[in-house]
Amino acid sequence: MKLLKAFRFIVLLLLAGYIFCLNKDYTPSFNSFFKELTVRQRSHSHAREKRAAGDCFPENCSKINVDIFLSMDTPNNAEAIEFINVLRGAVENVILPLHIIDELVLGSVNLTTACYPNSTGGHQCHCEDQLLWSSDICDTYGACSNASTQNCDCINGIPNGQFCEPSIITLPTPLMTASVITVIKIRTLKTEPTNLIQQLREAVDIVLQFNATTDLIVTSLNLTTVCYTNFNGQQQCQCEDQFLWSCEICETYGACNNDSIGNCDCINGIPPDGQFCETNVTAACLPPSTESAPTGPPTLEARSLSFTMNIDFDESYNDENNDVYQICLLSIETQSRIHILGLQSADLLGFSAGSTIADFEITANTSIQDAAVDALLMAIFSDLRNTFPVVFDSPSNLVIEPPRIFFEDNVTVTCGPPPVELDLRITSTEWRRDGVLINEDDRHSFSQANGAETLLITNYFFTDNGRYQCQLFDEESSFRQDSNGRFNRLETPTIQTVPLQNTILCEVGQQVSLQCSVQDPYQLEFRGISNSGAFTCVADPEFGNGFLNDVGRASCEINEVGEKTAICRVSGEWEDREDNCTLQRIVELLGQSRFLDEITLPEFLEELSNVTLELSQQVTESPNNIDAIVTIINNVATFVTTSTIQISQVSMEDVLLTTDVLTRDEARESWDILNLEALIETIETRNTIPRNESVSSLLLFGLEGITSRLINASLNIETPLILLNKTTFTNSFNGDFNSTVEIDIEESSGPTNLTVITFESLDNVLPPRDENNATGRVINGRVVLVQSDTTVDNVSFTFDIIDETLGNPQCVFWNFTLFEGLGGWDDEGCELVVRDDETVTCQCDHLTSFSILMSPFVPNRRVLDFITYIGVGISMASLVICLIIEALIWKEVRKKDKAHLSHIPIVNIALSLLIANIWFIIGASISEGDKKNPDACTAATFFIHFFYLVLFFWMLASALLLFYLTVFIFGNISKTTLIAIGFSLGYGAPLIITVITIAVTEPNNAYIQETVICWLNWDKSRALLAFVIPALLIVLINIVIIIVALVTILHSKGMSITVQNNDNYIVVEIARTLAILTPFFGITWSLGVGTLTDPTNLGIHIAFAFFNSLQGFFILVFGTLLSRQVRSLILGLKPSQNSGSGTATTSFGTSSSGGLFGKRNNRKNGGNNSSSDATASSQVASS
C-alpha cells in the first residue's frame, strides 16, 4: 500500500497547485494535467492493488496526513506577502470534502508555513495561526524576533522539509514496509523471448536503496514470474530462482516438464487474478482426489465489444504493425487485465468503417459482469482520448418524457450526464434523429443543467418519431447516447357522446340516456354523473331536446374531431344542420403543415398521400376533409416557394396521388358544396373582404406553387387521373400528352425546362364559371397546367373534345383574381384557332392552367336564335295588334255583360304574354352582355316567371267562366263578382307563387339559372318547378273543363226550350278559344320540360323554340280574329233590330243552345223573357 500512498502524495501535490491557480485563470491547463496523471496512475495499478469501486466516506476510509511543499517564483517588484494572502484565500474557499477520485477524498486543507525572501537578502519562514516552530529549529535558524520562549513563530531560514507544527513536541514518523507487485508487459517481434528476459533480469539485478520520494524508499526488487508465448503458440509461465508455483496451479494448468512432484517452476498457461510464483512453497501437496478431475481447461466466457474513434477509417489500421493498431491493442490488453476478473485473453479483432470502429473480444474463466465491462470501456476511453478523439457509447438510453406521447404534446429528451469517471467538460452538443442533424428552431430547443443536456420538442408530430441520438463533446472526444427505439406515440382518443348537449326537464324520477364511446384500445368510465317548460324539439337521437332557437351540438364519429350543430325550429325539428367534423389524422397533418422543414417534408408528404389513399372514401364524401387537405397542400406550397427547397420526384408523386383522390368523380358533390359556399361567402362579404379564395382555386394555386419547385430533371409521373411530364428543349417543342392534349411551342428564349400536368377530372373541382360569372358552360376538355423557367409568348394547345354534341368552344385559362379572388375561367390572351369534329385548337400568349369551355345545352345556337327571335318578333307584333283590336271594340263589348266577361281573359292573356316577352328580351341582353348583373337578371327572371303564370291563370279563369256558363252550380253571380274573382285568380295566385319561390331560393343563390338567358334555376334548387307544375296543372284542369262543357252541350242537344242566341254565342267563343289555346300552351311547355330531361336533343329545342315564340300569334288568330262579333265590330257592321230574316246558327244547332240557356234565363227572370233580351238575341242571330 506504500505505492498507493505515493500516488496520493502526488495527487495532493497537484491539487494544491490546482487550488492556488483557481484565481489565476490557469484552471483549464492544470485540470487537464491533473486529469491525465490521475487517470494514468489508476490505469497502471495492478488489479490486486485496486480497491473496490465506489465513493469513499470518512467512516470506511483510512486517514492520511500529507505535507505539501509549494515553491513559487515572484516578480522582483512584487511583495511576497500578496501571493501568500492569495493562497490563504484560495485554501479558505475550498468546499470540503472534495472527491479527487473514487478512492481519494480531500477532507481538510491547512496552510502551515509561509517562507519568502526578506529585505536583507535572506529568507524568513512564518507560521500560520496556532502553529509554532520547535525549539530545536528556533535554536538552529534563529527566531525572527527575540522571543523568550523556546518555541517561535518565525525563523531566519528555510528548514529542509520541515514545517510549523501544532505542538512543540515533534514525533518521528515511523517507517513502514510494503510489498508491491508490478506487471510489466512487453510486445516482442517473432523471436525467442529468452534474450529479452535475460536483459530484464540484468536490469532488475541492481544495487538498491532507491529514494523514489522523501517518504518512499525502494529497498529491494525481485523478478518472480516470466510469461510468454513460444513458437508453437503455447503460453508458458516460468518461475525465477527460489520461486515456485503452488500445487493447485500446477495441477490446474499442468507442469511444463511433467514433474511428478506437487510444486513446479513452469506451467502451461497464464493464471488469472494476478497470481504469481511464490517463495517458501514447502508444504506437501495433497494426494490426488478420488473424484475425476476435469480433463480440459476451465469454462471460458467471451464478450465481443467495440469502441469508436472519431477518425476517418483507413484499411491500413488493420495491419498489426500500424501505430493505431498497436496503441489500441495495448490499451485493450492493459485495461482488460485491470478491470476483468479471471481474464484469459483480450484480442483486437480489427477495425471497420463508421468513423473508425475497433472490435475486440475478451475472455475470462469467470462470469464477466456488466459493471466490469462498463469500467473497462471507460478506462479505454480515458486511456486513448489523449491520443485519438474517442466516442464513449453510453450503456443507458435517453430519457424521454412523457413516456406515452400524444399528438401536439411537448416532449423532452434528456441526455447524460456522462459518468464522472470520464471527467468530461462539455464544450458542444449534437442531436440527431435517424442520423439527421437537428438544428435549434421554433420547435426544437436545447438546454443544459447538472451536466445533462435536454432537447425540447414543441408540438410533437408523427415526423418527430424516430431514433434519437445525442453526442456531448469535450474537444474532439465525446459521450454518445441513443434512444431505445422509436417514441411510444399513441393515437389521440376521440370520445363520442350522444347527445353531446341536451336540455332536460327537472322531474323527480326522470331517467336520461347518455351514450359514450371511444376507439380501441381505450376504455371509458363515467365519473360523477350529475329549465322547465315544454320543449320545442324532443328526443332527437343526435341533438336530444331543445327549446325554440336553441343551438344543439352533437359529437362526431369515431376518429373524427369537431362537432355537429343544428338549430331547434318552430317545426319541432332540429334544422340547419351542419357537419363540422374532420378526420383526426388529417387534422394532425394540418397542424404539422405549419411547422415543416427540409428534413420532415418528404416524410410528411408520404404520410399525407398514405392517409388520403387509405381513407379515400371518407375524404371524397366530406367537404371538410377536402378543405383541410387543400389547406395542407397550400401550406406546403407556401413553404417551398418561400425557401430554397426543391421537390423530388418521389415527393411530387405523393402530392399528385393526394390530388388524384381529391379530383375523383366521387368527390364532385363535395366540391359542388364547397364552390357554392365560396360563392355565398363572396357575395356576403363583397364589400368587407377584398380577397376570398375558394377551395377549388386554392388547390390549383397550391399545385402550381409546388410544381414550380420541382427538381430540374426529365421525368414522368403518372397516377390514375393525372399525368406529369417534365422535359427540356432549346428552340421549339411539340408534345402529345396522353393522346388528349397536344402542345406546340414554336420558339423559346433559350434552353427551357417545361413542366406539363394533365388532369383528367379537374372539371369535378373547378366550376365552369367564366369571366362573366356565367355557369352555363361545361369544361369539355382536359385541364392542363403548363410551366416553364423561361418566357414563352406563343403556345398552341389542341384539346380532344370530350362531348362532341356540345358547341360554342371558348379557349380559357384559370384566372385566380376574378370575382374578388374567387377565381374563374378567363379568355384574355387566348383565342380559338379552329374547331374540328373531335378537337379544338387554341392559341395563347402566356402559360398557366388552360382548358376549353363549351355550351352544354344547345348544339347549334344559330338556328335556335333565328327561330326564337323571329318568332318572338311575330308574337309581340301579334299581341300588339290583338290589344289594339280589343281597345277599338272595347266600348261596344262592355255593353254586353257576357261578351265583356269573355273578352277580359283574352285581353289579360295577351297583355301578360307581351310583358313577359319584353322581359325575356331584357333578360337575354343581361345574360349575353359583356358584364353580368345578377341583380338585374334576378329581376328579369321574377317578372318573366310572374307574367307567364298570369297567362296561365287567366286561361284558368276563362275555363272557369266556361264551366260557370255551362254547368252553373254556383247559383247567380254578379258580373262584378266574376270580374273580381278573375283578377284575384289571374294576378293574385301568380304573385304568391313567384314571391315564395324567390324568397326560398334567392338566399341560397339558387333562384336564377345563370345560363345564356335569365330563367329559373333547375340544377341547384329545382325552382323551375314553380312554373312548370302550375302551368301543366292548369292545362290539365282546362282540358277537363272543356270535356265537361262539351258533354253538357251535347247532352242538351235537341231540347225545344227557347234560348238566348247571345249567350249561346258566348259559350261557343270561349269553348273554341280554350279548345285551341290550351293544347297549344300545354304542348309548348311540355316541350320545355323535355329540354331539361334531354338537353342535347336538337329536335326538342327547335320545337320548343317554335311553339314558344308563336304564342302571341295564336292568341291573335284564335282568340280575336276568328270571333265573328269582333270581325263585325272591326268592319263597322251593326246588325238590324227586329229582323226575322236570319236564324241563330251555330255548330251545335239552334235548338241545342236554346234549350240549355233558356233554362238558365228562366231561373233568372222567373220564366218571363224580356223584350230587350229577345231583341238582342235576334240581332246576334241575324248577323
Side-chain angles (χ1 to χ4, degrees):
M1 299 303 292
K2 197 66 175 179
L3 181 61
L4 183 57
K5 291 181 180 180
F7 290 161
R8 290 171 175 169
F9 175 83
I10 297 172
V11 168
L12 288 174
L13 177 63
L14 294 172
L15 175 63
Y18 170 72
I19 294 172
F20 176 73
C21 293
L22 284 174
N23 296 329
K24 287 296 187 178
D25 298 328
Y26 297 133
T27 301
S29 61
F30 264 78
N31 183 58
S32 177
F33 177 58
F34 165 74
K35 174 182 61 180
E36 176 183 351
L37 186 56
T38 54
V39 172
R40 183 171 299 165
Q41 297 298 334
R42 292 201 314 271
S43 300
H44 290 82
S45 298
H46 194 273
R48 194 173 187 181
E49 298 294 326
K50 185 170 180 66
R51 300 169 65 95
D55 293 339
C56 180
F57 295 94
E59 60 270 12
N60 58 16
C61 290
S62 60
K63 297 182 180 179
I64 301 175
N65 294 323
V66 180
D67 292 333
I68 300 175
F69 179 79
L70 180 62
S71 178
M72 297 178 295
D73 293 330
T74 61
N76 294 329
N77 59 351
E79 292 291 335
I81 191 63
E82 296 178 1
F83 291 88
I84 295 174
N85 291 332
V86 173
L87 181 58
R88 289 192 183 103
V91 170
E92 292 175 355
N93 291 330
V94 174
I95 300 176
L96 299 175
L98 177 63
H99 289 252
I100 309 303
I101 58 175
D102 291 342
E103 300 173 343
L104 181 60
V105 178
L106 180 61
S108 63
V109 179
N110 296 312
L111 188 62
T112 64
T113 310
C115 302
Y116 52 89
N118 57 22
S119 59
T120 61
H123 291 82
Q124 289 182 345
C125 286
H126 280 267
C127 294
E128 293 295 294
D129 294 338
Q130 298 179 356
L131 298 174
L132 294 172
W133 288 111
S134 67
S135 58
D136 294 338
I137 293 178
C138 293
D139 293 337
T140 301
Y141 293 93
C144 300
S145 61
N146 297 320
S148 61
T149 59
Q150 293 180 346
N151 301 106
C152 60
D153 60 354
C154 176
I155 59 175
N156 294 311
I158 302 177
N160 185 17
Q162 295 178 314
F163 306 96
C164 297
E165 298 176 356
S167 68
I168 61 176
I169 301 175
T170 304
L171 298 176
T173 303
L175 295 176
M176 299 176 62
T177 60
S179 297
V180 178
I181 299 176
T182 304
V183 177
I184 301 175
K185 185 163 184 177
I186 303 174
R187 291 188 53 81
T188 65
L189 301 176
K190 301 297 184 178
T191 61
E192 180 65 40
T194 305
N195 293 334
L196 292 174
I197 295 173
Q198 183 59 35
Q199 293 175 9
L200 182 59
R201 290 192 182 105
E202 295 174 354
V204 171
D205 190 14
I206 61 175
V207 179
L208 298 172
Q209 156 176 2
F210 173 69
N211 293 332
T213 66
T214 57
D215 288 344
L216 179 62
I217 301 174
V218 180
T219 59
S220 64
L221 187 63
N222 295 314
L223 187 63
T224 65
T225 311
V226 177
C227 300
Y228 56 87
T229 303
N230 60 23
F231 285 126
N232 296 325
Q234 182 180 8
Q235 292 180 333
Q236 291 184 343
C237 283
Q238 184 176 349
C239 297
E240 293 296 292
D241 293 341
Q242 299 179 358
F243 291 89
L244 290 175
W245 288 111
S246 65
C247 295
E248 292 82 4
I249 293 179
C250 292
E251 291 177 359
T252 301
Y253 293 93
C256 301
N257 52 8
N258 297 321
D259 291 337
S260 59
I261 62 173
N263 302 113
C264 59
D265 61 357
C266 179
I267 59 174
N268 295 312
I270 301 177
D273 303 332
Q275 300 182 72
F276 304 95
C277 299
E278 302 176 10
T279 60
N280 301 321
V281 182
T282 58
C285 295
L286 297 175
S289 174
T290 58
E291 297 180 0
S292 59
T295 58
T299 303
L300 302 179
E301 179 179 346
R303 285 283 190 101
S304 296
L305 304 172
S306 65
F307 60 88
T308 302
M309 297 180 292
N310 195 18
I311 58 177
D312 295 334
F313 173 72
D314 192 327
E315 189 62 40
S316 65
Y317 296 160
N318 288 308
D319 184 358
E320 292 185 358
N321 296 318
N322 186 278
D323 290 341
V324 175
Y325 187 96
Q326 292 186 0
I327 294 173
C328 291
L329 177 60
L330 178 60
S331 179
I332 292 171
E333 291 178 337
T334 302
Q335 302 305 326
S336 296
R337 285 196 175 277
I338 296 173
H339 297 282
I340 303 302
L341 189 65
L343 179 72
Q344 292 296 301
S345 64
D347 301 315
L348 177 59
L349 303 178
F351 297 94
S352 58
S355 293
T356 298
I357 301 175
D359 298 307
F360 66 98
E361 183 181 67
I362 58 174
T363 58
N365 60 5
T366 61
S367 176
I368 301 176
Q369 302 299 317
D370 292 338
V373 172
D374 295 341
L376 171 61
L377 293 175
M378 286 189 287
I380 293 175
F381 173 87
S382 300
D383 196 22
L384 294 178
R385 61 178 296 187
N386 295 320
T387 307
F388 307 111
V390 190
V391 178
F392 179 81
D393 287 300
S394 173
S396 61
N397 298 315
L398 295 170
V399 178
I400 300 172
E401 289 292 339
R404 297 190 303 172
I405 303 171
F406 294 94
F407 173 70
E408 289 190 332
D409 275 353
N410 291 339
V411 181
T412 58
V413 185
T414 303
C415 177
V420 294
E421 293 83 358
L422 299 182
D423 195 22
L424 291 177
R425 287 181 175 269
I426 308 304
T427 58
S428 62
T429 305
E430 280 187 0
W431 286 92
R432 294 180 181 272
R433 182 184 68 86
D434 293 334
V436 180
L437 182 66
I438 299 175
N439 295 315
E440 195 164 13
D441 53 28
D442 293 339
R443 294 185 54 247
H444 301 86
S445 59
F446 310 142
S447 61
Q448 182 179 11
N450 300 323
E453 297 284 335
T454 301
L455 165 65
L456 174 62
I457 305 173
T458 305
N459 292 332
Y460 172 86
F461 301 117
F462 81 93
T463 52
D464 293 316
N465 206 352
R467 290 185 175 271
Y468 279 75
Q469 180 188 89
C470 84
Q471 203 162 354
L472 311 181
F473 288 90
D474 181 356
E475 301 300 337
E476 294 182 345
S477 295
S478 62
F479 168 85
R480 185 166 62 190
Q481 194 171 16
D482 293 284
S483 63
N484 183 18
R486 300 170 70 85
F487 288 173
N488 183 17
R489 175 177 177 266
L490 300 179
E491 183 180 1
T492 303
T494 54
I495 301 175
Q496 183 184 28
T497 305
V498 180
L500 180 63
Q501 174 182 301
N502 196 5
T503 305
I504 61 174
L505 291 175
C506 186
E507 297 177 353
V508 177
Q510 183 180 12
Q511 295 183 351
V512 178
S513 174
L514 177 65
Q515 179 183 358
C516 294
S517 58
V518 69
Q519 78 269 35
D520 290 334
Y522 300 104
Q523 294 182 350
L524 288 173
E525 65 178 21
F526 289 97
R527 294 182 178 178
I529 300 178
S530 53
N531 311 353
S532 66
F535 295 122
T536 304
C537 302
V538 180
D540 186 88
E542 273 192 311
F543 298 99
N545 304 326
F547 297 104
L548 182 63
N549 295 326
D550 276 356
V551 177
R553 292 176 173 83
S555 298
C556 299
E557 302 296 329
I558 296 297
N559 297 322
E560 290 184 337
V561 295
E563 65 178 10
K564 301 176 183 179
T565 62
I567 300 177
C568 180
R569 297 302 188 188
V570 68
S571 62
E573 300 293 333
W574 291 96
E575 301 177 0
D576 301 328
R577 300 189 178 216
E578 293 185 5
D579 187 344
N580 299 313
C581 301
T582 307
L583 288 170
Q584 179 177 329
R585 295 176 65 182
I586 294 178
V587 171
E588 293 178 357
L589 290 170
L590 177 61
Q592 185 172 358
S593 67
R594 298 190 294 268
F595 302 97
L596 295 173
D597 54 44
E598 186 174 3
I599 298 174
T600 60
L601 179 62
E603 185 178 356
F604 174 83
L605 293 177
E606 180 183 4
E607 180 69 10
L608 175 62
S609 65
N610 291 339
V611 170
T612 307
L613 290 170
E614 179 183 346
L615 305 175
S616 59
Q617 181 176 355
Q618 295 96 311
V619 169
T620 56
E621 292 177 353
S622 169
N624 295 326
N625 290 329
I626 292 178
D627 190 0
I629 294 177
V630 170
T631 304
I632 292 173
I633 293 176
N634 196 58
N635 289 343
V636 173
T638 302
F639 169 66
V640 299
T641 53
T642 55
S643 63
T644 59
I645 295 176
Q646 286 192 315
I647 298 295
S648 66
Q649 180 174 353
V650 175
S651 295
M652 191 68 202
E653 184 174 1
D654 289 330
V655 173
L656 295 183
L657 286 172
T658 302
T659 307
D660 189 287
V661 174
L662 299 184
T663 60
R664 292 179 182 177
D665 291 340
E666 294 86 346
R668 187 180 187 94
E669 183 176 351
S670 296
W671 281 109
D672 289 341
I673 295 173
L674 289 171
N675 289 325
L676 177 60
E677 290 176 349
L679 180 63
I680 295 173
E681 185 178 354
T682 301
I683 294 175
E684 292 176 349
T685 61
R686 181 174 298 167
N687 298 324
T688 58
I689 300 177
R691 186 173 182 82
N692 181 40
E693 295 172 327
S694 64
V695 179
S696 56
S697 190
L698 275 178
L699 174 61
L700 186 59
F701 184 78
L703 292 175
E704 289 192 1
I706 295 174
T707 305
S708 66
R709 301 300 303 165
L710 187 59
I711 58 173
N712 289 326
S714 296
L715 52 89
N716 289 279
I717 302 174
E718 186 172 359
T719 71
L721 299 175
I722 303 173
L723 173 65
L724 181 145
N725 177 275
K726 185 165 187 176
T727 186
T728 303
F729 69 94
T730 302
N731 296 321
S732 61
F733 174 81
N734 180 269
D736 189 350
F737 300 94
N738 204 24
S739 301
T740 56
V741 179
E742 181 180 350
I743 297 178
D744 186 14
I745 300 176
E746 297 181 356
E747 183 179 1
S748 67
S749 57
T752 302
N753 291 303
L754 183 70
T755 305
V756 180
I757 304 180
T758 306
F759 300 93
E760 181 177 335
S761 56
L762 203 60
D763 57 314
N764 292 328
V765 177
L766 300 174
R769 179 175 50 242
D770 60 16
E771 71 276 12
N772 297 319
N773 199 20
T775 58
R777 299 175 179 271
V778 296
I779 301 173
N780 202 28
R782 299 286 185 259
V783 178
V784 56
L785 188 158
V786 186
Q787 286 185 350
S788 71
D789 56 359
T790 61
T791 302
V792 176
D793 297 327
N794 193 352
V795 57
S796 175
F797 299 92
T798 300
F799 296 93
D800 285 0
I801 297 175
I802 298 175
D803 186 353
E804 298 178 3
T805 63
L806 304 182
N808 191 28
Q810 183 181 8
C811 300
V812 291
F813 73 95
W814 186 261
N815 188 341
F816 295 99
T817 62
L818 287 181
F819 313 118
E820 293 85 22
L822 191 65
W825 295 103
D826 193 353
D827 61 357
E828 183 178 356
C830 293
E831 62 179 7
L832 176 66
V833 177
V834 63
R835 187 258 168 97
D836 296 331
D837 292 337
E838 299 179 352
T839 62
V840 170
T841 301
C842 303
Q843 193 82 21
C844 298
D845 60 7
H846 58 279
L847 297 182
T848 182
S849 300
F850 300 91
S851 189
I852 54 173
L853 298 180
M854 301 182 73
S855 171
F857 300 117
V858 184
N860 191 337
R861 286 194 56 187
R862 183 172 301 177
V863 175
L864 295 178
D865 289 345
F866 178 81
I867 295 175
T868 299
Y869 289 112
I870 295 298
V872 169
I874 296 174
S875 178
M876 293 181 65
S878 300
L879 293 172
V880 171
I881 295 173
C882 176
L883 293 174
I884 292 174
I885 293 174
E886 291 293 339
L888 292 176
I889 66 174
W890 192 251
K891 184 177 180 180
E892 294 297 329
V893 168
R894 290 188 63 184
K895 296 177 180 179
K896 313 297 188 296
D897 292 345
K898 301 305 181 286
H900 185 202
L901 290 174
S902 67
H903 279 266
I904 288 177
I906 294 297
V907 171
N908 284 279
I909 289 173
L911 181 62
S912 61
L913 184 57
L914 177 61
I915 298 175
N917 285 338
I918 293 173
W919 276 108
F920 172 81
I921 295 174
I922 295 174
S925 63
I926 294 173
S927 299
E928 297 179 357
D930 293 336
K931 185 173 181 62
K932 298 297 181 293
N933 190 333
D935 296 334
C937 192
T938 299
T941 302
F942 176 83
F943 287 111
I944 294 172
H945 183 204
F946 173 73
F947 283 106
Y948 271 135
L949 286 179
V950 169
L951 180 151
F952 277 95
F953 274 95
W954 272 111
M955 286 184 59
L956 176 62
S958 181
L960 292 176
L961 178 64
L962 175 64
F963 186 76
Y964 168 73
L965 293 177
T966 55
V967 179
F968 189 67
I969 61 176
F970 302 107
N972 295 324
I973 302 176
S974 65
K975 173 183 175 182
T976 302
T977 302
L978 290 174
I979 293 175
I981 294 174
F983 274 90
S984 298
L985 181 63
Y987 289 100
L991 182 62
I992 294 173
I993 294 175
T994 52
V995 169
I996 292 176
T997 302
I998 193 172
V1000 171
T1001 58
E1002 178 60 23
N1004 297 323
N1005 291 281
Y1007 179 62
I1008 58 177
Q1009 196 169 5
E1010 296 181 348
T1011 58
V1012 291
I1013 59 174
C1014 295
W1015 188 222
L1016 296 174
N1017 185 281
W1018 171 255
D1019 294 329
K1020 297 179 181 179
S1021 63
R1022 300 293 192 267
L1024 186 58
L1025 295 177
F1027 170 73
V1028 172
I1029 292 177
L1032 296 183
L1033 186 61
I1034 289 173
V1035 170
L1036 180 62
I1037 293 174
N1038 284 6
I1039 291 175
V1040 172
I1041 291 177
I1042 291 173
I1043 293 174
V1044 171
L1046 291 177
V1047 170
T1048 303
I1049 293 173
L1050 293 176
H1051 178 72
S1052 62
K1053 185 177 181 181
M1055 293 183 181
S1056 58
I1057 302 174
T1058 303
V1059 306
Q1060 296 181 1
N1061 294 329
N1062 182 25
D1063 292 337
N1064 182 28
Y1065 173 73
I1066 293 174
V1067 173
V1068 172
E1069 293 289 339
I1070 295 175
R1072 182 187 62 228
T1073 300
L1074 290 176
I1076 296 175
L1077 293 184
T1078 296
F1080 178 77
F1081 287 140
I1083 293 173
T1084 298
W1085 292 104
S1086 296
L1087 292 172
V1089 175
T1091 60
L1092 298 177
T1093 58
D1094 189 5
T1096 61
N1097 192 313
L1098 179 61
I1100 294 178
H1101 279 277
I1102 293 176
F1104 174 69
F1106 175 77
F1107 281 95
N1108 188 45
S1109 60
L1110 295 181
Q1111 292 178 107
F1113 177 75
F1114 272 60
I1115 292 174
L1116 173 65
V1117 173
F1118 298 102
T1120 302
L1121 296 180
L1122 288 183
S1123 171
R1124 287 182 298 172
Q1125 181 184 21
V1126 172
R1127 292 198 306 271
S1128 64
L1129 292 175
I1130 293 174
L1131 297 175
L1133 300 176
K1134 295 183 179 181
S1136 58
Q1137 298 181 359
N1138 300 324
S1139 173
S1141 60
T1143 60
T1145 304
T1146 70
S1147 59
F1148 304 108
T1150 56
S1151 61
S1152 65
S1153 47
L1156 174 64
F1157 293 101
K1159 178 180 177 181
R1160 183 187 65 80
N1161 287 329
N1162 286 338
R1163 282 186 179 181
K1164 180 178 180 181
N1165 300 315
N1168 297 321
N1169 295 331
S1170 64
S1171 59
S1172 61
D1173 288 339
T1175 304
S1177 177
S1178 299
Q1179 291 174 350
V1180 174
S1182 64
S1183 62

